[in-house]
Amino acid sequence: MTSARSSYSRMAITLHWLIALLLIGNFAGGLFMGDLLAPSATPEQKQLGFKIVQLHKSMGLTILLLSLLRLATRLVSGTPPLPGHMTSTERLLAKATHWAFYAIMILVPLTGWIMVSASPLGFPTIWFGLFEWPHLPIETSKATSGAASEAHEIIAFAGAGLLLLHVAAALKHQYLDRDDVLARMLPLVRRRSA
Ligand code: HEM
Ligand code: HEM
């Protein structure tokens, strides 16, 4: 849905940048964790690894909640119209990228949640050390947990690839097309058309 506004709401901008920061941080944390949990890691590294996994899971589940909130606000409020100079292919690509991001923002944490819920190891998730986040009501299965882990990794890397395309598009709008697409997603920036 396209909204009547010419810019994103403060809520949409805040959620965009908060989720972007958390996602990039959690992606980096996920990669870093792998080394600390490897069979070759020292006991001290493993201990640190377990702490980072708890932080990774807490941040990831928070991203899931924020992304669902963002999806709901987007479905209700819509987005400002794309600039008139964009071709139909560019519009299609922009929309496809945005919807693919929503799928990734939900599927990456969801596959992580399935992975830990089905894991025969049965480690609990303590949300930022405050309370135990429930596991999904699914059967414990090494195969399910392993498949979810594979999907988690593949979708997270697909997200990283999509981010490169997304940032390149934002820079093209800013420096080649010289429109206000980037400005309307930035807080406290005067827009070109303003
Ligand atoms: C939403 C943001 C998230 C991102 C971007 C993310 C990303 C990643 C990445 C890149 C890895 C390393 C994969 C590899 O190279 O093997 C990883 C591992 C892992 N993630 Fe996440 N993750 C997220 C959320 C979650 C959530 C919500 C959970 C669980 C509740 C979770 C549980 C795990 C676990 C247990 C591992 C290590 C084990 C494995 O992959 O087999 N993640 N994550
Ligand atoms: C993992 C990080 C990111 C994700 C998941 C993401 C996701 C999205 C999504 C889903 C939209 C569509 C608008 C909405 O529904 O709120 C959007 C818009 C936008 N993003 Fe990102 N984004 C990320 C990082 C970035 C970065 C680093 C930049 C800057 C270079 C950027 C610039 C923009 C701009 C300019 C728009 C507005 C596009 C328009 O008006 O059509 N994003 N982003």
Side-chain angles (χ1 to χ4, degrees):
M1 184 176 83
T2 302
S3 79
R5 344 173 27 124
S6 61
S7 187
Y8 283 95
S9 65
R10 204 172 298 169
M11 169 90 155
I13 295 176
T14 309
L15 285 172
H16 175 269
W17 292 109
L18 182 63
I19 294 174
L21 274 180
L22 291 175
L23 264 180
I24 294 168
N26 233 30
F27 181 80
L31 297 182
F32 180 61
M33 245 157 56
D35 290 341
L36 295 174
L37 297 175
S40 57
T42 64
E44 292 77 26
Q45 283 176 324
K46 282 192 179 146
Q47 214 179 6
L48 177 64
F50 283 120
K51 284 193 184 143
I52 296 182
V53 173
Q54 284 297 343
L55 187 64
H56 179 84
K57 294 191 289 181
S58 303
M59 279 194 16
L61 291 162
T62 308
I63 293 170
L64 176 62
L65 294 182
L66 291 172
S67 301
L68 291 173
L69 172 67
R70 180 169 167 197
L71 181 60
T73 50
R74 177 174 167 143
L75 291 175
V76 172
S77 317
T79 52
L82 290 167
H85 66 76
M86 285 175 72
T87 64
S88 52
T89 312
E90 285 172 335
R91 283 165 192 277
L92 191 71
L93 201 61
K95 286 194 177 142
T97 307
H98 294 165
W99 286 114
F101 262 143
Y102 277 102
I104 286 166
M105 289 185 291
I106 291 168
L107 286 177
V108 173
L110 196 60
T111 49
W113 196 5
I114 295 172
M115 179 205 319
V116 296
S117 302
S119 169
L121 299 173
F123 285 124
T125 297
I126 313 295
W127 191 79
F128 293 111
L130 295 175
F131 64 87
E132 187 173 336
W133 187 283
H135 279 160
L136 289 165
I138 49 177
E139 249 175 68
T140 306
S141 145
K142 209 173 167 190
T144 309
S145 182
S149 166
E150 278 288 305
H152 190 65
E153 186 180 356
I154 292 170
I155 304 170
F157 274 87
L162 203 64
L163 181 60
L164 296 182
L165 183 71
H166 187 60
V167 171
L171 295 178
K172 175 182 179 287
H173 279 286
Q174 182 67 10
Y175 295 108
L176 297 181
D177 302 335
R178 296 178 174 270
D179 57 26
D180 65 357
V181 163
L182 178 58
R184 68 188 190 175
M185 192 42 110
L186 294 176
L188 312 171
V189 168
R190 188 196 285 260
R191 295 167 47 233
R192 285 191 209 272
S193 58

